Amino acid sequence: MTFVHIGVFLLAVSFAIFAIYLCIVLARISGLLTTTGYTMNRMEDKLDVSIKELELTIVEAKTSTTDVQVKLDALNSVVETAKNLGDTAYTATEGVHGLVESYAKQPDLPGTKPFVGMIQVAEFVTSLFSTWKKAEKVTK
Protein backbone atom coordinates (compact mmCIF):
# COMPACT_ATOMS: atom_id res chain seq x y z
CA MET A 1 0.00 0.00 0.00
CA THR A 2 2.86 2.35 0.61
CA PHE A 3 3.87 1.97 -2.98
CA VAL A 4 0.41 3.01 -4.07
CA HIS A 5 0.63 6.12 -1.87
CA ILE A 6 4.09 6.92 -3.22
CA GLY A 7 2.84 6.36 -6.81
CA VAL A 8 -0.17 8.64 -6.24
CA PHE A 9 2.12 11.23 -4.66
CA LEU A 10 4.49 11.12 -7.66
CA LEU A 11 1.54 11.40 -10.00
CA ALA A 12 0.23 14.41 -8.07
CA VAL A 13 3.66 16.08 -8.14
CA SER A 14 4.00 15.35 -11.88
CA PHE A 15 0.54 16.81 -12.54
CA ALA A 16 1.40 19.90 -10.45
CA ILE A 17 4.65 20.41 -12.43
CA PHE A 18 2.75 19.95 -15.72
CA ALA A 19 0.04 22.40 -14.57
CA ILE A 20 2.65 25.00 -13.58
CA TYR A 21 4.45 24.61 -16.93
CA LEU A 22 1.14 24.87 -18.79
CA CYS A 23 0.23 28.03 -16.81
CA ILE A 24 3.60 29.61 -17.67
CA VAL A 25 3.14 28.83 -21.40
CA LEU A 26 -0.43 30.14 -21.39
CA ALA A 27 0.65 33.33 -19.56
CA ARG A 28 3.31 33.96 -22.20
CA ILE A 29 0.84 33.32 -25.02
CA SER A 30 -1.64 35.69 -23.34
CA GLY A 31 1.04 38.40 -23.10
CA LEU A 32 1.96 37.87 -26.75
CA LEU A 33 -1.68 38.15 -27.85
CA THR A 34 -2.16 41.29 -25.74
CA THR A 35 0.90 42.91 -27.32
CA THR A 36 -0.26 41.86 -30.79
CA GLY A 37 -3.71 43.34 -30.13
CA TYR A 38 -2.18 46.63 -28.96
CA THR A 39 0.05 46.73 -32.06
CA MET A 40 -2.92 46.03 -34.33
CA ASN A 41 -4.91 48.87 -32.73
CA ARG A 42 -2.03 51.28 -33.28
CA MET A 43 -1.63 50.07 -36.87
CA GLU A 44 -5.37 50.56 -37.48
CA ASP A 45 -5.20 54.15 -36.23
CA LYS A 46 -2.17 54.90 -38.38
CA LEU A 47 -3.78 53.21 -41.37
CA ASP A 48 -6.87 55.39 -40.97
CA VAL A 49 -4.68 58.50 -41.01
CA SER A 50 -2.79 57.20 -44.06
CA ILE A 51 -6.03 56.52 -45.93
CA LYS A 52 -7.32 60.03 -45.19
CA GLU A 53 -4.02 61.52 -46.42
CA LEU A 54 -4.20 59.36 -49.55
CA GLU A 55 -7.74 60.57 -50.23
CA LEU A 56 -6.57 64.20 -49.91
CA THR A 57 -3.65 63.46 -52.24
CA ILE A 58 -6.01 61.98 -54.83
CA VAL A 59 -8.29 65.03 -54.61
CA GLU A 60 -5.30 67.36 -55.06
CA ALA A 61 -4.02 65.28 -58.00
CA LYS A 62 -7.44 65.51 -59.65
CA THR A 63 -7.49 69.28 -59.11
CA SER A 64 -3.98 69.60 -60.56
CA THR A 65 -4.90 67.44 -63.55
CA THR A 66 -7.99 69.54 -64.23
CA ASP A 67 -5.93 72.72 -63.96
CA VAL A 68 -3.32 71.39 -66.39
CA GLN A 69 -6.06 70.36 -68.82
CA VAL A 70 -7.64 73.84 -68.70
CA LYS A 71 -4.25 75.44 -69.35
CA LEU A 72 -3.54 73.07 -72.24
CA ASP A 73 -6.93 73.86 -73.73
CA ALA A 74 -6.14 77.57 -73.43
CA LEU A 75 -2.84 77.03 -75.26
CA ASN A 76 -4.54 75.34 -78.22
CA SER A 77 -5.55 78.68 -79.73
CA VAL A 78 -2.00 80.02 -79.31
CA VAL A 79 -0.58 76.99 -81.09
CA GLU A 80 -3.19 77.29 -83.85
CA THR A 81 -2.32 80.98 -84.27
CA ALA A 82 1.40 80.19 -84.50
CA LYS A 83 0.66 77.47 -87.04
CA ASN A 84 -1.49 79.82 -89.11
CA LEU A 85 1.20 82.50 -88.92
CA GLY A 86 3.81 80.02 -90.11
CA ASP A 87 1.56 78.82 -92.93
CA THR A 88 0.94 82.40 -94.01
CA ALA A 89 4.66 83.22 -93.97
CA TYR A 90 5.39 80.07 -95.93
CA THR A 91 2.75 80.89 -98.55
CA ALA A 92 3.96 84.49 -98.85
CA THR A 93 7.58 83.52 -99.34
CA GLU A 94 6.66 80.83 -101.87
CA GLY A 95 4.72 83.47 -103.83
CA VAL A 96 7.68 85.82 -103.85
CA HIS A 97 10.20 83.11 -104.71
CA GLY A 98 9.84 83.56 -108.49
CA LEU A 99 10.15 87.31 -108.16
CA VAL A 100 13.37 86.94 -106.19
CA GLU A 101 14.91 84.73 -108.80
CA SER A 102 14.26 87.32 -111.50
CA TYR A 103 15.74 90.11 -109.35
CA ALA A 104 18.71 87.94 -108.40
CA LYS A 105 19.47 87.37 -112.08
CA GLN A 106 19.35 91.14 -112.75
CA PRO A 107 21.61 92.67 -110.10
CA ASP A 108 22.11 95.87 -112.13
CA LEU A 109 18.60 97.14 -111.30
CA PRO A 110 18.96 100.17 -109.03
CA GLY A 111 17.81 99.76 -105.37
CA THR A 112 17.04 96.05 -105.55
CA LYS A 113 19.98 94.67 -103.53
CA PRO A 114 18.43 95.30 -100.05
CA PHE A 115 15.10 93.98 -101.31
CA VAL A 116 16.75 90.83 -102.67
CA GLY A 117 18.64 90.35 -99.38
CA MET A 118 15.46 90.57 -97.32
CA ILE A 119 13.67 88.16 -99.59
CA GLN A 120 16.59 85.72 -99.41
CA VAL A 121 16.40 85.85 -95.61
CA ALA A 122 12.66 85.17 -95.87
CA GLU A 123 13.40 82.21 -98.15
CA PHE A 124 15.83 80.90 -95.55
CA VAL A 125 13.14 81.17 -92.90
CA THR A 126 10.74 79.40 -95.25
CA SER A 127 13.16 76.54 -95.74
CA LEU A 128 13.55 76.24 -91.96
CA PHE A 129 9.77 76.22 -91.56
CA SER A 130 9.31 73.58 -94.26
CA THR A 131 11.98 71.42 -92.61
CA TRP A 132 10.16 71.79 -89.31
CA LYS A 133 6.86 70.80 -90.96
CA LYS A 134 8.47 67.72 -92.52
CA ALA A 135 9.94 66.72 -89.17
CA GLU A 136 6.55 67.25 -87.54
CA LYS A 137 4.91 64.92 -90.08
CA VAL A 138 7.60 62.29 -89.51
CA THR A 139 7.12 62.34 -85.74
CA LYS A 140 3.36 61.94 -86.03
Side-chain angles (χ1 to χ4, degrees), residues 4 6 8-9 12 18 21 28-29 37-39 48 55 82 84 92 96 104 108 110 119 125 128 130 140:
V4 173
I6 292 174
V8 170
F9 175 72
F18 174 74
Y21 178 75
R28 287 186 180 171
I29 289 174
Y38 175 70
T39 303
D48 286 342
E55 287 173 350
N84 291 338
V96 179
D108 56 338
I119 293 177
V125 170
L128 286 178
S130 65
K140 287 183 181 178

Side-chain angles (χ1 to χ4, degrees), residues 47-63:
L47 189 61
D48 286 342
V49 171
S50 296
I51 289 173
K52 287 178 185 175
E53 290 296 323
L54 184 60
E55 287 173 350
L56 290 175
T57 302
I58 289 171
V59 167
E60 287 298 319
K62 180 183 176 190
T63 303

Side-chain angles (χ1 to χ4, degrees), residues 4 6 11-12 16 20-21 23-24 26 29 39 51 54 56-57 76 83 85 87 102 106-107 110 114 121 124 135 138:
V4 173
I6 292 174
L11 259 154
I20 290 171
Y21 178 75
C23 287
I24 290 171
L26 289 176
I29 289 174
T39 303
I51 289 173
L54 184 60
L56 290 175
T57 302
N76 282 343
K83 180 185 176 295
L85 180 64
D87 290 342
S102 68
Q106 300 173 5
V121 168
F124 175 71
V138 168

Side-chain angles (χ1 to χ4, degrees), residues 120-139:
Q120 286 173 341
V121 168
E123 285 178 345
F124 175 71
V125 170
T126 302
S127 68
L128 286 178
F129 182 75
S130 65
T131 305
W132 174 63
K133 285 295 222 175
K134 287 177 187 174
E136 186 180 66
K137 288 179 184 176
V138 168
T139 58

Side-chain angles (χ1 to χ4, degrees), residues 1-50:
M1 201 58 162
T2 348
F3 289 117
V4 173
H5 290 296
I6 292 174
V8 170
F9 175 72
L10 287 176
L11 259 154
V13 170
S14 298
F15 181 74
I17 291 172
F18 174 74
I20 290 171
Y21 178 75
L22 186 63
C23 287
I24 290 171
V25 169
L26 289 176
R28 287 186 180 171
I29 289 174
S30 173
L32 178 67
L33 290 177
T34 303
T35 305
T36 303
Y38 175 70
T39 303
M40 289 299 207
N41 285 338
R42 284 182 45 212
M43 188 176 84
E44 181 184 1
D45 293 339
K46 290 186 179 190
L47 189 61
D48 286 342
V49 171
S50 296

